Amino acid sequence: MRTWPRIGLAIRLTLLNAGIVSLAMLAVVAVMVLTSERAMREHLRESVLAELDVLVADYAIDGFEGVIGFIEQREHFRSDHHGRSYRLEDAQGRYLAGSWPLWPGALRTDGNILRVPNDARDPPTEWWIAAASLPGGGRVLVGFDSIELNAVMRTIHGAAAMVLLITLGLSLALGALIHRAALAPIATIRRSAEQIIDGDLKHRIPLEGSGDEFDALAATLNRMLDRISRLFDGLRSSTEAIAHDLRSPLARHRSRLEQALIEAPPDGPQADWLQSAVDEVDEVLGTFQSLLQLSTVEAGAARDGFDTVCLARIVADAASLYEAQAAARGMTLACRSTDTCTIRGDRHLLFQSVVNLLDNALKYGDEGQTVDLDLRCADGFATITVRNRGSGFAEPERAFDRLYRGDHARSAPGHGMGLTLVRAIARLHGGDAVVRNVAHGAEVRIDLPIGH
């Protein structure tokens, strides 16, 4: 089967535009031509009847002699674009004047127009004839040749064809220019995409600043590229963190296993040795479990199960869960939630976000200090804030990196995924999370849109 080459979008749009404009112009020209032809035919008809009325009026004044003189005067005039013929008969049907040879049998004297072919012309035309009875019993016939009508209509048809050809040519030319200019941003986007495919992941689609649909598309694609870039950066940092954080427990575990192959541990410490090995394996598995959960949240699969959630209830439950842990460290957990705002979301993930924040705040806060948990709803957003008193973040800009743990946190249990998961859950719900160091401590805030 023969495969025809595909036509580009610019050509298709140009042809479509030219077709639409040409069809519209064809409709306009057709209406004008039909209206002109109708007006010309009506003019010819009225001219025949008016000439007939003149002959009848002339007979009323001068009788047959006046009509015969009028006919001779009219037929004496000759023109290539003008043709007239007459016939005058008396009451007995005898011919008196005029060049029309025989009275047409179908012609009545009631003023109706009879159209008779005129083959003497090249191209052929028509005689438009009408007849009237004279008061004295005679009758008179008037015929006008349609040559003038045909000539005018040929001129109009030629002009209409010329207009259509000019319209088609202009619409093709202007359409090509317009669509070429309109599709230029697509070419820019394509070139940018090819540059990114070739490895320049930092390249972004340039914005023209016009604010049109193509600028909006370019801005959206740039945001998508930023998101992909962040995911790549997160993957890269995760790989580095996994290599850094899991190397030590796996190396220790391998060393112990090698030592056990050489010399089995004594019966007394064997249980402790096995428990330590299990703990280290659990730490590795916990890291991978956190990574899997983060991937699930970032994929957005939980959106299908969103329901109406009361944030005040979630905050209260999380605070109740950690009150005992705070008391064990001599710390105070102050929960302030005067609002009862609700959002669309996943209760378990939102609860886990608050729990992660409280766990970090208590873990890295100074003993004997206060941890604040606040919920506030205003300006279309629900804001959950957790604040502790302590050393704060060593590198706040890296707080949400996967598996990132500051130097002061490496001695504490954990996988470095808590805040990363908090931000992923916030973004899943259409919001975001931010961290900052405050006076004598650190603060983490989650902003969630109400009604999302």
Side-chain angles (χ1 to χ4, degrees):
M1 180 180 293
R2 183 175 180 180
T3 302
W4 295 95
R6 300 189 64 179
I7 301 176
L9 176 61
I11 297 178
R12 294 201 304 272
L13 290 177
T14 300
L15 293 177
L16 178 62
N17 177 76
I20 293 174
V21 173
S22 298
L23 286 176
M25 182 57 69
L26 177 62
V28 173
V29 169
V31 171
M32 294 179 62
V33 169
L34 292 175
T35 302
S36 300
E37 184 173 5
R38 182 177 179 181
M40 289 295 298
R41 289 180 179 275
E42 184 64 23
H43 173 70
L44 180 58
R45 176 180 174 276
E46 291 178 353
S47 297
V48 172
L49 296 179
E51 188 80 355
L52 189 63
D53 290 340
V54 170
L55 289 172
V56 174
D58 197 17
Y59 175 82
I61 298 173
D62 298 326
F64 282 116
E65 293 182 1
V67 176
I68 292 172
F70 183 86
I71 290 174
E72 291 177 350
Q73 180 184 1
R74 289 291 198 184
E75 289 190 340
H76 181 71
F77 177 77
R78 293 288 186 268
S79 173
D80 292 337
H81 298 288
H82 183 78
R84 296 185 182 183
S85 185
Y86 302 84
R87 184 179 180 85
L88 176 64
E89 295 180 354
D90 60 12
Q92 286 75 35
R94 293 190 298 267
Y95 167 80
L96 298 178
S99 60
W100 193 268
L102 295 175
W103 192 276
L107 181 62
R108 295 174 296 178
T109 57
D110 57 359
N112 286 322
I113 300 294
L114 177 65
R115 293 164 61 178
V116 178
N118 183 12
D119 296 330
R121 295 277 189 179
D122 186 21
T125 59
E126 287 183 327
W127 285 106
W128 289 45
I129 58 178
S133 298
L134 299 175
R139 58 184 181 178
V140 64
L141 173 154
V142 175
F144 278 25
D145 195 347
S146 66
I147 184 172
E148 184 178 6
L149 167 65
N150 294 353
V152 172
M153 291 311 303
R154 282 195 298 270
T155 303
I156 292 176
H157 290 159
M162 184 63 66
V163 168
L164 290 177
L165 288 176
I166 293 175
T167 300
L168 179 60
L170 287 177
S171 61
L172 286 173
L174 294 178
L177 292 175
I178 292 172
H179 291 121
R180 182 178 179 181
L183 296 178
I186 293 182
T188 301
I189 294 174
R190 179 178 56 81
R191 288 192 298 269
S192 297
E194 290 175 351
Q195 190 170 344
I196 294 170
I197 291 172
D198 291 338
D200 186 4
L201 300 181
K202 297 299 183 182
H203 180 74
R204 292 297 179 266
I205 302 170
L207 301 179
E208 297 182 356
S210 61
D212 59 9
E213 290 78 2
F214 285 112
D215 251 17
L217 174 61
T220 301
L221 292 177
N222 285 339
R223 289 197 299 271
M224 180 187 69
L225 292 172
D226 290 339
R227 173 65 172 160
I228 293 174
S229 179
R230 287 195 298 268
L231 290 176
F232 274 126
D233 292 341
L235 180 61
R236 187 182 301 109
S237 63
S238 296
T239 304
E240 295 172 355
I242 289 174
H244 184 274
D245 288 359
L246 299 187
R247 183 189 298 116
S248 296
L250 290 176
R252 288 196 304 269
H253 192 56
R254 186 178 186 280
S255 176
R256 289 183 180 181
L257 290 175
E258 289 179 345
Q259 184 65 30
L261 289 174
I262 298 173
E263 180 181 359
D267 293 339
Q270 187 174 14
D272 294 336
W273 182 88
L274 290 174
Q275 184 60 51
S276 176
V278 169
D279 291 341
E280 289 181 353
V281 171
D282 286 343
E283 182 180 350
V284 174
L285 292 176
T287 300
F288 283 111
Q289 180 63 31
S290 298
L291 288 171
L292 289 174
Q293 185 180 19
L294 178 62
S295 299
T296 301
V297 171
E298 289 181 336
R303 285 195 181 95
D304 296 336
F306 276 11
D307 199 357
T308 302
V309 177
C310 178
L311 289 179
R313 179 65 180 273
I314 290 176
V315 169
D317 290 346
S320 176
L321 180 64
Y322 274 83
E323 281 181 353
Q325 182 176 335
R329 297 198 60 194
M331 304 175 73
T332 301
L333 180 55
C335 178
R336 289 179 289 274
S337 174
T338 57
D339 296 297
T340 58
C341 61
T342 59
I343 67 168
R344 294 282 299 175
D346 186 295
R347 186 185 189 283
H348 298 291
L349 291 178
L350 293 171
F351 180 77
Q352 184 172 359
S353 295
V354 181
V355 165
N356 286 357
L357 295 183
L358 289 178
D359 185 71
N360 283 350
L362 293 173
K363 187 186 300 181
Y364 303 117
D366 293 340
E367 294 186 5
Q369 300 296 320
T370 300
V371 172
D372 297 310
L373 172 60
D374 299 330
L375 169 64
R376 184 175 64 88
C377 298
D379 301 327
F381 278 87
T383 301
I384 301 173
T385 305
V386 176
R387 188 184 303 106
N388 73 350
R389 277 74 172 172
S391 57
F393 293 99
E395 298 177 280
E397 67 280 0
R398 297 193 59 193
F400 293 113
D401 290 352
R402 300 185 184 196
L403 301 175
Y404 169 73
R405 304 182 73 194
D407 293 336
H408 68 284
R410 291 193 176 275
S411 59
H415 309 106
M417 296 290 291
L419 290 180
T420 308
L421 186 59
V422 167
R423 185 176 63 174
I425 293 173
R427 290 180 173 177
L428 175 69
H429 290 79
D432 206 347
V434 295
V435 302
R436 67 186 184 114
N437 288 327
V438 295
H440 309 297
E443 175 184 282
V444 183
R445 188 180 77 249
I446 302 175
D447 294 316
L448 302 172
I450 298 174
H452 176 70

